[in-house]
Structure formats: C-alpha cells, structure tokens
Amino acid sequence: MPKEPLAYKWSVQLACFGKWTVSTSGNWLDALEKAENMRNRPTVIIAHTVKGKGVSFMEWDPAYHGKAPDKETVRKLLETNGT
C-alpha cells in the first residue's frame, strides 16, 4: 500500500478532531520546526523515513534496522565513508 494515501487519510481524519498534521521526510528535523510554530493546536508529525539513510549499503535493508552493527559492519561502514 502506498504511503501517501495513508498519510493523507490520517491528515484529514486528524483535522476533523482539531489536530494539525505535518508530513515530512523523517530523516530531517524540519517538521519539528513547523510543529513548534503550531503552539495553539495539538500537532501530529507523519514522518516518511528511510531505514539506514545516508549509508549506501544499509539504505532500505531491514537487516540493519533496530540493532547495533557488528564489528565487520562497522569496518565496512568506515571504509565506505572514507574514515
């Protein structure tokens, strides 16, 4: 199921209850700034995130999500980023 129709559905439903929604790429903090400016209404942030964002071999790979990297993965990460 595509994410956008779901985000739109939630935005409309939440607006009916007086909530302000902010939809953003979840890997950036711009939504927090927008939400902070909406002080007089409850705010919901819908974040579209990318697992492993910024690390080429980790992006979109659920095997790296929600756990600490092992030594081999850290070595590969350091080599990939040139450090």
Side-chain angles (χ1 to χ4, degrees), residues 7-26:
Y8 177 75
K9 177 183 173 184
W10 275 93
S11 295
V12 170
Q13 289 178 347
L14 291 167
C16 290
F17 292 100
K19 310 278 191 280
W20 177 258
T21 59
V22 178
S23 185
T24 185
S25 164

Side-chain angles (χ1 to χ4, degrees), residues 5-62:
L6 186 59
Y8 177 75
K9 177 183 173 184
W10 275 93
S11 295
V12 170
Q13 289 178 347
L14 291 167
C16 290
F17 292 100
K19 310 278 191 280
W20 177 258
T21 59
V22 178
S23 185
T24 185
S25 164
N27 302 106
W28 302 103
L29 299 177
D30 61 329
L32 296 176
E33 290 178 11
K34 291 177 186 176
E36 186 177 2
N37 293 329
M38 295 305 188
R39 294 175 186 254
N40 47 345
R41 290 176 74 181
T43 304
V44 176
I45 299 173
I46 300 173
H48 305 278
T49 61
V50 174
K51 291 178 175 122
K53 179 72 174 170
V55 181
S56 61
F57 67 92
M58 289 183 168
E59 281 193 21
W60 296 106
D61 189 346

